[in-house]
């Protein structure tokens, strides 16, 4: 579990995140189009699987030093939970962007277990201590809020506060969204699901509505925990996300 900083929302209610994930995974076999993110701490990949990953994934070719910086700011889905060093969102997105002719450096600023409150608490530190001034922030938080039953109003307020800060700094944003797990019930889903589309429209930022679109229901693209994508799953996400990020950088 992640620690929650003082200030923004940090309440927890209901079943444990692991139980919610189990329920969510079962429901997703039947109900398509839902997303979530893990709330466990990142323990790293087993040594034998890291060795396999090193052989399967090509080495990262560093982009040019003056390429625009993209900060991938999110939770375990961004952090590369249980994946090798070249398999997570940031390195795969960086390779895909450069291969597609969009020079970019992508910094991994994902923290496993982060809620929107935790992200809000560390955003300024990341922005102030980045490799350089970011040309774009890829923002993906809120799934752990849902797993913990945190009020959607509080999730919305934290995301809005982060978008306000990024707007104040004139940093463009691409927002990646998610939806409530079916076991959260229709009332929670009614309040949670519109958050990302609403604030993307309000702030005029591009939205990738469902981070695990086409991945979370595909067993071969998920880790054994059923919660996080494996390297091939991340590749599938990146294949769809790359054009969105490239378009945002072009603007």
């Amino acid at each position: 579990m992640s620690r929650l900083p003082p200030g923004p929302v940090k309440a927890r209610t209901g079943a444990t995140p692991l139980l919610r994930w189990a329920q969510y995974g079962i429901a997703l076999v039947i109900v398509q189009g839902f997303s979530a993110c893990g709330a466990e701490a990142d323990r790293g990949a087993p040594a034998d699987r890291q060795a396999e990953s090193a052989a399967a994934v090509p080495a990262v070719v560093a982009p040019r030093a003056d390429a625009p910086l993209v900060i991938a700011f999110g939770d375990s889905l961004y952090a590369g939970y249980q994946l090798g060093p070249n398999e997570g969102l940031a390195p795969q997105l960086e390779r895909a962007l450069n291969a597609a002719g969009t020079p970019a450096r992508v910094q991994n600023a994902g923290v496993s277990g982060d809620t929107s409150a935790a992200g809000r608490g560390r955003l300024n530190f990341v922005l102030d201590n980045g490799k350089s001034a970011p040309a774009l922030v890829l923002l993906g938080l809120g799934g752990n809020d849902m797993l913990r039953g945190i009020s959607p109003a509080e999730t919305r307020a934290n995301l809005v506060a982060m978008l306000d800060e990024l707007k104040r700094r004139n940093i463009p944003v691409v927002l990646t969204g998610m939806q409530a797990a079916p076991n959260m019930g229709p009332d929670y889903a009614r309040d949670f699901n519109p958050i990302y589309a609403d604030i993307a429209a309000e702030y005029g930022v591009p939205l990738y509505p469902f981070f695990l679109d086409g991945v979370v229901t595909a067993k071969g693209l998920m880790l054994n925990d059923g919660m996080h994508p494996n390297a091939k799953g991340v590749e599938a996400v990146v294949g769809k996300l790359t054009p969105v990020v490239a378009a945002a950088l072009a603007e």
Side-chain angles (χ1 to χ4, degrees), residues 107-249:
Q107 177 182 337
N108 183 356
V111 174
S112 292
D114 252 14
T115 60
S116 63
R120 179 179 177 180
R122 68 182 175 91
L123 177 62
N124 284 338
F125 177 84
V126 171
L127 296 176
D128 292 340
N129 293 276
K131 299 173 183 178
S132 62
L136 181 73
V137 167
L138 186 64
L139 178 62
L141 287 163
N144 287 318
D145 296 40
M146 179 269 295
L147 292 172
R148 299 180 184 193
I150 292 173
S151 166
E154 295 168 347
T155 301
R156 183 186 292 263
N158 288 328
L159 289 170
V160 164
M162 286 184 274
L163 285 170
D164 281 341
E165 178 61 23
L166 291 164
K167 182 178 180 180
R168 186 185 71 81
R169 293 176 181 245
N170 295 314
I171 300 173
V173 178
V174 168
L175 184 65
T176 63
M178 57 200 66
Q179 294 183 343
N183 66 291
M184 295 302 298
D187 291 342
Y188 191 93
R190 181 196 61 224
D191 295 336
F192 183 89
N193 290 349
I195 290 174
Y196 298 90
D198 286 352
I199 62 178
E202 179 181 352
Y203 284 84
V205 302
L207 171 66
Y208 187 78
F210 175 28
F211 183 84
L212 290 177
D213 181 35
V215 174
V216 72
T217 54
K219 185 178 180 181
L221 299 181
M222 299 293 287
L223 295 178
N224 289 336
D225 64 8
M227 301 183 286
H228 300 90
N230 59 25
K232 291 183 179 180
V234 174
E235 182 181 0
V237 173
V238 166
K240 296 181 180 181
L241 187 57
T242 295
V244 181
V245 175
L249 286 170

